[in-house]
Every structure is written in C-alpha cells, then in structure tokens.
Amino acid sequence: MVRLLGRSGTRPARRPRGPLVRRTPETTLGGRSLAAQVFVLQVVVVLLLGVAAVVALVLQARHDTTQEARNRSLAVAETFANSPGMLAALSSPDPTAVLQPRAEAAREASDVDFIVVMNTDGIRYTHPKPDRIGKQFVGTLAPAQAGGTVVEEVEGTIGRLVQAVVPVKDPDGQVAGLVSAGITTEHVGGNANRQLPLVLSTTVAALLLATAGTALVSRRLLRQTHGLGPHEMTRMYEHHDAVLHSVREGVIIVGGEGDLLLANDEAHRLLDLPPDAEVRKVFDLGLDADTAELLASGRMATDEVHLVGDRLLAINQRPTDLAGGPAGSVATLRDSTELRALSGRAEAARERLDMLYAAGVGIGTSLDVTRTAEELAELAVPRFADFACVDLFDAVLAGEEPEARGALRRTALSAIRKGAPLYAVGEQITFVESSPQSRSLARGRAVLEARLAESPGWRAQDLERTEQVVEFGIHSLITVPVRAGALVLGVVSFWRSERPEPFDPEEVALAEELVARAAVSIDNARRFTREHGMAVTLQRSLLPRTLPEQGALDIAYRYLPAQAGVGGDWFDVLPLSGARVALVVGDVVGHGLHAAATMGRLRTAVHNFSALDLPPEELLVLLDEMVSRIDQDETADGTSAPVAGATCLYAIYDPVSRRCAVARAGHPPPALVHPDGRVEFLEVPAGLPLGLGGLPFETAEVELAEGSRLVLYTDGLVEDRKQDIDTGLERLRTALGRGDGSPEETCRVVLESLLPARPNDDIALIVARTRALDTDRVAEWEVPVDPAAVGEVRAAVARQLARWDLEDLSFTTELILSELVTNAIRYGSPPVRVRLLRDRALICEVSDSSNTSPHLRYAAMTDEGGRGLFLVAQLTDRWGTRYTPTGKVIWAEQSLP
C-alpha cells in the first residue's frame, strides 16, 4: 500500500475512462511564458559568464606574460653564464670577439631580446647592437656582483621589458663576470587579444544554444505529455500506483530529513515494517543499524548486500535531487538469499575447477618423484587443506614398482604454519592397520575422518603423537591412495585445522580427483627415474673405472652426467708402446640409451685402433669410417638415429721426446697450461665431426715442457644455453690460471668456476701433467748392417743393465735383442737402431727404415728358422710393431724384478 505524507490512507477513487483530450495551442501560453522566462534567465547568465571570462582572461594574461618573461630571462641568463668556456672567454685578451657571436646565437635560439655579458663593473662585452659594447649596463647590478641574481622589470628603449642579471663564478666561488638576458613583455604576451574573439564567439554560441534549447524543451513538453489533461494524468498515476505495488522488488522513498515517504507492499514484507511506517523516521523502524544508516544517508549504492532478519537483501539506492528534484533518495530492495546460495555453490565449483586446472599445469613440471610430490603438497595448501603430506614407498623413490605392503617414507609436507606434530620429511612410517592411511591403501579409495578426536583407529597409530595433533588444532582428515593403474604408489593425507567445519563428501571427491591427476605425474617420474638409472648404469659401465698405470702423465679427471638425461661423453687413458700414453675425449650428440650405447661402441673402437699404434690422424680416419658404416646400417634398419655429429680428440704424449701429437674431429681444442701459469689453446685443425667423411684429419705436434698441464674436455663444460663457446673458453682460461698446479686442484677449480647449477649436458674433463723420462733411463745405439754387430749390441746391453741394477734381465734381454737385431739386419733396411727404456717396465726397441713387419707363426720341425718371434713372445710381457714416418719399430716389454 502506498501512503504519502499529506494524503489520506486510502487511494483516490478511480475515475471512469474518458476520451483523450489534446491541448490546443492556446492552452500552452502559460508554458510558453515560462519558457520565455527561462530563456531570459539563460541569456543573463551567459552574458555574465562571458563578461567574467573576458575580465579573468585579461588579468590572467597579464600575470602569465610577466611571469613567463621573468622565468625565460632568468633561465637564459643562468644557462649562458654556466655554459662551457665562459670563464676562459672572460679571461681572454678579447672577450667580445669570443662571446659576441655566441651570445647572438644563443639569443636567436632562446627567443629573447638581448643577452649581455659584462665585467664585474657592468661594462658590456656583448650586445645585439654593437655600438653599445663597452658602455655601462643599465640596471641593478649590486646583488649579482655579490653572488646573487636579479630579476627586474624596467622601461627600456625597446619598451617595457623584464631582465635578469646573474653572476659568472670561478671555481673558487668568486664573481668573474655578469650575464644579463632580457625580453619585452609584448613578445610573450598577446594571449588575451588572441583568445578574446574565441570567448566572444563562445558567448554568442551559448546564446544560440540557449534559444534552441528553450524551443526544444517547449516542444518536448508538449510531445511527452501528449497534451494530456488532469483526468488522464490521474488515471496514469493510478496505473503507476498499481504497478508499484505489484512488482516483486521493494521500493522505498526517503525524504531529506530521514522520513520514510513511501514504501510499497514488497518493501513492507522484506523489511517487516509496521503499518504506520510512512510517518516515522527510518531509525525508528526497528531496522539493523547498517541498513538504517544506508537508507537515511541517501548515498549511492549498487547491489549492496545487507542481512535483514534471515534474508540477504541487495539494495540499490540513488538520490532524488540529482536532476533538481526534492531532497531525499529512492531505494529498491531485492531478496537475493537463494541467489547468493546458488552463487556460493557456483563459486565453490569454480574454485575447484581452478584448482584442478592448476594441478594439471603445476604438478609434474619435472621428472623427479620428490619434486612432483612437493608440487602436489604445495598446491593443496592452503587452497584445499591446512596441511598436506605425501608418503611414498621407498621403491617408488628408487624408480621401482612398489610392493603391496611395507613402510612408507614421508616425501613431502606442506603446512600453513610451522610446529605441527606430524611426521617429518624423510622419516620412514609404518601405519597400523586401523589407521585411515592403511585402510585407504588396502581399499584403494579415499577415507574420511571428519572428527579425528573421535577416531580410535587413527589414535592407535601413536597415542602420544595423535594427542599432540589434536591439541595443535588439527581436527579433520582425508587420506587418498596414490594409484597409477593397478599400482599403489603411496598415500596422501589432507589435514584441516583453521576452518572449524570438517571435510565433507564433496571435498573427498575433489581430493580423489586431485591425487589422481598427481598420481600420473608421480608414476611418470618413477618410470623416468628407473630408465634414467638404467641408462646411467650402462653409461658408467662403459666408462673407465680406474686409470691404467703409466709413468708419462699425472692424471686427474672428472665425469659429470647431465641432470636432464644420460649423454654420450666419454674419455680414456691408453698406455702405448715406448712409454707413450694416448688421451682421448669424445662426445656423442644426444641423450639416452642410444647415445650411451654408441659411446660404448666408439670407446671400444678407439681401444682396438690404439693397439695398432697409429698416428692420431690415421686413427680418426678409421673411426670416421666405422661411424659411417654404423650410420648406413642403422639408416637401413630404420630403428635408430644416425651417429653423425659425434666428436673426438686423440692425443699421444711421448715422455722421451716430450712431444705431443694431437688431432681432433670437430671437438673443442685442448688447453695447455705452461709451468709458469700461462694458458693457451693449442691450434689444432678442427676437422669434421665423425661420420661426415670426405676430408682427411690433420695432426698438430707440440713440444711440452716438463710440468705442463694438458687439459682435455667436452663442450658441456664451456657451452650451454646461456653462453656461447667463446665466452666459455675465456672463462676456462681464467679458471686454469688459478690453483696450485696439481691436476686434482685444477679439476676442482675448473668445475667450481664453470659448472652450472643444473648441467644440461655431460661434462668430461681430463687434466694431465707431463713428466719427462730422464736421459739416464734411456740408452740408444746405432747398429751396423753386419751380423757380427749383434755380439757388440749384446755386450753393450749387458753393461747398461748392470748400470741399472737389472742383471737379472740380462740373459732374456740379450736373447730378445739378438733375435730382433738379426731380423732387422737380415730383412730390414738401414739404419738400424736399438733403444732401451727403463720405465715401469724394461722396453727394448729395434727400428729400421723398412715397412715390412714380421709375423708370429708356428715353425715346422724341419724348419731352420721362424722361431725367433715365438721365442720373443714367450720371454716378454707383450711385444708389437709400430710404424713411423721413416720406417718401423719392433718393441718388447719385460716386467722389472
């Protein structure tokens, strides 16, 4: 029911519908008179505003003109006074010659009328009119002569102007000269004259608009009322009254004094208003303080929700005097209790979908089981639970399939606050059968313990600890098994403490979905851990476990597999004949089992080829041909990727000559650290990577001083995604310059300086410090091509062995050399030479210029010869032939007693 102050409590009676009466033009005379009055008022207001604008414009223009002139003149004077070379110009023999062109250029650029430079007495050095140079400056100078600034308005010969005088100070703060800049006000003024026509035009336009507006309003009044008379207006009011009381929104009109002027039936129902509410103050209606304050304040509000009784009301309020109406406000009220409940459920569903989406993109970012479990726990807290624990079987952490029963290990724990009495990360846990975790693992589905304080099965796990958990405030629990297909990998526990309400069945479903998504990532990480472990095992089995004994080099090495996967880097140390040692480093492009297996094949091939005692370039040629054959076979098979892209570096060091021969196939160059600490990278021709073929390899030879360090490495040490290889080589050069010179210390310093936090590629590093075989441990003779010379050789060898205290080897050594020298004289070509080396073994070498090589064979009973090499093989540990550019060397080694 609508009640208005000053009206009776009943609605006016409806009058019978009559014909629609249109007003005649004569009936609108009063409206026209009102429009004329409004028009006159508008004209007066516009005229007054125009006059005020003109006056204000003139006054403001004068003020702005003077202020702009003062600012510009002062800025120009200070800028020119502090310009470079000012002090030098003032102290020059002819300041005018230096400063006049600069002052005129500055004046034209800064748009001022003059820039005058003068001495401390005011005598001008510059002026726009040259005839005034050398005359006294007209203006106030005392403050500037004292170190201050002067800005003044004067009446000059060119009109009223503003001039500034500033000092030029030397480094000691003494005034060395004065600079003045000035500008006439007419050069910065004139805005009022330019803007006055615009103001007048605006005034005229406003008058025209007022006239047009008045005419438009008069026409719109007639058009909007359609010429309705009083009866039609009354009928329209009754219709509006009926609509007002039939709508399902409450409508309230409050006066400017806080009186309730109108309230429809829905407003009475929603606010539970008394029958006489329209004649009372809003604060006297029994409403809650917030709602009463809003309705009485009259402020604007949009969908502001208030709790009134058991209803949630959405209130929209607007003032009624915005368009010149009476003071007060009108408010509409809508019951949003059910809508808010639906909105709350929709918001909860949205949050759950958002959490599941976050689980899809945020869990499983790495193939690490522990990190994946931590991501699950971190996602759940605090969005879903206050504490989250992930317990996995130890077999899962090792990459294996877990057993159905057994102890679990706390892998991840996330909490909103510290100090919770839960099992710590890394602790092994055995859950009792009555615990929710054990039941969850056995049933393969989630278990809800809504109230932990009332759960005897959970308390049976650890009475003391569970009591501490309850006292800490944790009161509700959901346990969900981590299942990947038929495998149960562990269990996740979600705990609640901050929110008083326990977990509900809907949250159990969310927990199961969340863990199900994480279980896939955990199982993928487990499988990767297993495959990675197998690959690492294979790779390490293919790498050298210990270095062979040799006396030519002191060697230290490091091998670091990549974090992302197993690569194909390898290295080796291979003892050769004649106390020489071969160093090899290689890299197979790619990662995984295929790269590791290929690396093993290449390493085996290098072992076999090195037994042939080939020069480095020839060994790389054989290796390149082998890789090409492998690529052809695997390309035809179609099951494996080609090996092309593998690199290798092969170096041979001879401790007798201290020479090192190096060849490389697409590998980074070796570094050499001289005994004095100087570091250089050896200039070894790069060559193509293995498997590309078509071009030969080249060997570089360098003589190494004893104590030099030869550094071989793979590209993972000097190149990654963040730096190119040139930057890495410079960093390596810097690192090699530090340390105490030992190979072990060099390895440590290099890795500390260059090793990234998470290597993307394998790293192999070898540091070899050279030794030299002393001359007193080497004996050498040239043998005439005469069978009688064999006896002389045997005698010389016996004397040398006596000097080395190796008489026990005299008989076998003389016999070996007799056979080898006889063969060289009989079947070889001069010159024939014999060399004895005393290293870790006694080495006998016989060389000649022939390329024919003897072969071991079984001699028949009737053969007179053919048993010499067989005898040599029986008396020595090993023997062989190596070819040189001038022929061949047949060597044999015997163990020292």
Side-chain angles (χ1 to χ4, degrees):
M1 178 181 294
V2 175
R3 298 178 177 86
L4 296 176
L5 293 178
R7 291 176 176 261
S8 62
T10 60
R11 303 176 189 173
R14 295 184 179 181
R15 299 185 179 183
R17 182 186 299 271
L20 184 63
V21 179
R22 296 284 183 181
R23 294 184 179 181
T24 62
E26 290 76 15
T27 62
T28 63
L29 182 59
R32 287 180 179 177
S33 300
L34 179 60
Q37 295 175 8
V38 172
F39 174 69
V40 172
L41 179 61
Q42 289 177 337
V43 170
V44 172
V45 171
V46 170
L47 289 176
L48 291 176
L49 290 175
V51 172
V54 171
V55 174
L57 181 61
V58 172
L59 294 178
Q60 183 65 35
R62 289 183 178 179
H63 176 270
D64 291 346
T65 297
T66 302
Q67 188 63 34
E68 183 180 353
R70 294 173 67 89
N71 292 341
R72 189 187 301 180
S73 60
L74 179 60
V76 171
E78 288 182 341
T79 302
F80 195 77
N82 293 300
S83 63
M86 176 59 70
L87 289 174
L90 288 174
S91 60
S92 65
D94 189 0
T96 299
V98 178
L99 296 175
Q100 176 68 8
R102 292 173 52 186
E104 287 304 293
R107 179 181 65 82
E108 293 176 0
S110 58
D111 198 19
V112 296
D113 290 301
F114 66 84
I115 296 178
V116 175
V117 182
M118 64 200 89
N119 62 12
T120 55
D121 296 329
I123 302 303
R124 299 188 183 100
Y125 289 146
T126 67
H127 196 278
K129 297 180 178 181
D131 58 344
R132 298 187 182 183
I133 295 175
K135 297 181 181 181
Q136 182 68 32
F137 177 77
V138 180
T140 303
L141 298 178
Q145 291 170 339
T149 60
V150 179
V151 181
E152 58 183 349
E153 300 180 26
V154 299
E155 193 68 34
T157 58
I158 57 174
R160 185 166 184 81
L161 56 85
V162 176
Q163 66 183 12
V165 182
V166 300
V168 178
K169 297 181 180 181
D170 59 18
D172 296 330
Q174 300 297 322
V175 176
L178 303 176
V179 176
S180 175
I183 183 172
T184 57
T185 55
E186 66 178 9
H187 287 177
V188 296
N191 291 332
N193 296 332
R194 291 191 295 270
Q195 296 179 3
L196 186 58
L198 178 61
V199 174
L200 295 177
S201 300
T202 304
T203 304
V204 173
L207 290 174
L208 294 176
L209 289 175
T211 304
T214 302
L216 181 62
V217 168
S218 299
R219 288 177 177 245
R220 289 180 63 87
L221 285 173
L222 291 175
R223 186 167 58 251
Q224 290 178 356
T225 60
H226 300 286
L228 295 177
H231 299 294
E232 286 72 21
M233 295 295 293
T234 301
R235 184 178 302 136
M236 182 179 294
Y237 166 76
E238 290 178 347
H239 290 167
H240 290 175
D241 187 39
V243 171
L244 182 66
H245 286 276
S246 64
V247 296
R248 292 302 304 269
E249 281 194 355
V251 179
I252 286 180
I253 299 178
V254 179
E257 301 297 328
D259 302 320
L260 181 62
L261 302 180
L262 182 146
N264 69 349
D265 294 343
E266 185 68 10
H268 274 267
R269 184 183 71 83
L270 294 177
L271 297 178
D272 196 18
L273 298 176
D276 59 344
E278 283 81 3
V279 298
R280 300 169 61 179
K281 298 286 186 180
V282 172
F283 287 104
D284 298 335
L285 299 177
L287 302 175
D288 64 279
D290 291 340
T291 306
E293 189 277 331
L294 171 63
L295 297 177
S297 67
R299 62 180 175 85
M300 295 183 64
T302 301
D303 286 337
E304 192 170 307
V305 179
H306 287 256
L307 180 62
V308 179
D310 58 350
R311 295 187 180 93
L312 286 174
L313 301 183
I315 302 177
N316 290 275
Q317 182 169 273
R318 297 293 184 274
T320 57
D321 57 355
L322 294 178
S329 62
V330 59
T332 60
L333 302 91
R334 183 175 67 255
D335 190 354
S336 62
T337 305
E338 295 182 359
L339 181 62
R340 177 54 61 93
L342 292 174
S343 176
R345 288 195 290 270
E347 180 66 18
R350 187 197 66 79
E351 290 181 356
R352 292 177 181 179
L353 288 175
D354 182 64
M355 184 184 301
L356 293 177
Y357 171 78
V361 300
I363 299 178
T365 58
S366 66
L367 292 173
D368 183 81
V369 176
T370 301
R371 181 57 194 153
T372 305
E374 291 173 351
E375 290 171 345
L376 170 59
E378 292 169 358
L379 177 70
V381 178
R383 301 177 65 177
F384 177 69
D386 300 322
F387 302 88
C389 308
V390 181
D391 305 320
L392 301 176
F393 292 104
D394 285 333
V396 175
L397 298 175
E400 304 297 332
E401 292 186 0
E403 299 178 357
R405 296 287 181 180
L408 295 101
R409 190 170 300 277
R410 178 62 46 90
T411 309
L413 170 63
S414 183
I416 59 172
R417 53 194 172 101
K418 298 180 179 180
L422 301 172
Y423 292 107
V425 174
E427 191 170 350
Q428 194 175 50
I429 309 170
T430 301
F431 291 105
V432 298
E433 293 186 359
S434 62
S435 66
Q437 291 84 354
S438 182
R439 287 183 284 143
S440 178
L441 291 171
R443 300 174 185 176
R445 61 176 183 271
V447 172
L448 170 64
E449 288 291 350
R451 293 175 176 80
L452 290 176
E454 303 172 6
S455 174
W458 172 71
R459 285 181 171 272
Q461 174 68 30
D462 187 338
L463 294 177
E464 182 179 356
R465 184 184 293 270
T466 54
E467 184 64 28
Q468 294 174 355
V469 170
V470 174
E471 292 178 356
F472 191 74
I474 298 176
H475 59 83
S476 189
L477 167 66
I478 297 177
T479 62
V480 185
V482 182
R483 299 185 57 185
L487 291 179
V488 179
L489 309 177
V491 65
V492 181
S493 302
F494 301 101
W495 312 80
R496 175 170 289 177
S497 65
E498 297 298 317
R499 285 178 285 181
E501 66 275 8
F503 286 115
D504 56 38
E506 291 186 0
E507 291 172 315
V508 172
L510 175 61
E512 289 181 322
E513 180 67 20
L514 187 64
V515 174
R517 297 195 178 199
V520 176
S521 299
I522 292 176
D523 189 52
N524 288 339
R526 177 190 67 83
R527 293 172 182 269
F528 173 79
T529 301
R530 181 185 61 189
E531 299 297 331
H532 181 73
M534 293 172 58
V536 169
T537 301
L538 171 62
Q539 183 187 42
R540 293 194 179 280
S541 67
L542 297 175
L543 291 172
R545 300 185 180 181
T546 58
L547 296 181
E549 294 184 359
Q550 47 82 30
L553 299 169
D554 291 329
I555 296 177
Y557 68 92
R558 296 290 188 275
Y559 185 85
L560 301 175
Q563 296 289 335
V566 175
D569 292 13
W570 93 93
F571 67 93
D572 227 328
V573 178
L574 306 172
L576 302 178
S577 63
R580 297 170 305 137
V581 177
L583 300 176
V584 58
V585 174
D587 183 6
V588 176
V589 175
H591 294 83
L593 289 174
H594 177 71
T598 303
M599 176 268 288
R601 298 168 73 177
L602 293 179
R603 178 171 178 257
T604 302
V606 171
H607 263 272
N608 294 333
F609 292 151
S610 67
L612 300 177
D613 249 332
L614 299 174
E617 72 277 8
E618 294 184 16
L619 184 141
L620 290 182
V621 168
L622 295 177
L623 199 63
D624 180 66
E625 293 177 354
M626 189 201 76
V627 171
S628 297
R629 289 194 301 272
I630 293 175
D631 286 347
Q632 292 174 2
D633 295 342
E634 294 188 348
T635 301
D637 183 54
T639 58
S640 301
V643 185
T647 65
C648 182
L649 185 146
Y650 189 81
I652 298 177
Y653 174 69
D654 187 349
V656 179
S657 63
R658 294 186 289 105
R659 299 194 65 82
C660 181
V662 186
R664 60 188 178 118
H667 202 81
L672 177 63
V673 184
H674 294 272
D676 59 2
R678 182 167 50 89
V679 181
E680 67 171 314
F681 291 97
L682 297 181
E683 296 183 1
V684 182
L688 294 177
L690 298 176
L692 299 182
L695 293 175
F697 299 97
E698 297 182 55
T699 297
E701 276 200 33
V702 60
E703 185 173 340
L704 305 181
E706 186 175 6
S708 300
R709 283 169 287 163
L710 190 64
V711 182
L712 281 62
Y713 52 91
T714 56
D715 59 357
L717 182 67
V718 295
E719 185 178 18
D720 58 22
R721 298 172 183 174
K722 297 182 180 179
Q723 68 176 13
D724 58 19
I725 191 169
D726 292 333
T727 303
L729 290 176
E730 286 304 315
R731 294 181 60 198
L732 177 59
R733 182 194 301 271
T734 303
L736 290 175
R738 300 195 299 265
D740 60 4
S742 66
E744 281 292 337
E745 178 66 12
T746 302
C747 287
R748 185 190 65 80
V749 172
V750 167
L751 292 184
E752 287 181 354
S753 302
L754 278 73
L755 184 65
R758 188 176 178 84
N760 296 317
D761 196 4
D762 293 358
I763 295 175
L765 173 66
I766 299 179
V767 179
R769 184 170 58 188
T770 60
R771 295 177 180 173
L773 198 62
D774 296 336
T775 55
D776 60 353
R777 305 180 71 177
V778 179
E780 191 171 5
W781 304 272
E782 186 167 348
V783 182
V785 184
D786 183 359
V790 176
E792 298 177 3
V793 171
R794 295 178 62 175
V797 168
R799 290 193 298 270
Q800 184 63 47
L801 292 180
R803 284 194 291 269
W804 286 345
D805 296 328
L806 296 177
E807 291 88 347
D808 294 341
L809 298 178
S810 293
F811 176 75
T812 56
T813 304
E814 291 178 17
L815 186 58
I816 292 169
L817 286 176
S818 296
E819 295 295 334
L820 297 180
V821 172
T822 300
N823 285 340
I825 293 174
R826 180 177 300 177
Y827 304 108
S829 302
V832 177
R833 301 184 65 85
V834 174
R835 187 171 71 167
L836 287 183
L837 304 176
R838 181 185 178 185
D839 192 31
R840 292 179 177 269
L842 179 62
I843 304 172
C844 303
E845 295 182 346
V846 178
S847 61
D848 65 82
S849 59
S850 171
N851 289 326
T852 59
S853 176
H855 297 284
L856 184 66
R857 66 184 180 86
Y858 285 98
M861 295 294 294
T862 57
D863 290 344
E864 295 183 0
R867 298 176 180 82
L869 287 182
F870 183 80
L871 183 62
V872 170
Q874 297 299 314
L875 296 176
T876 60
D877 296 332
R878 60 188 188 124
W879 73 280
T881 303
R882 72 172 181 268
Y883 292 94
T884 66
T886 59
K888 68 175 183 298
V889 176
I890 303 176
W891 56 270
E893 289 186 6
Q894 302 175 76
S895 298
L896 297 179

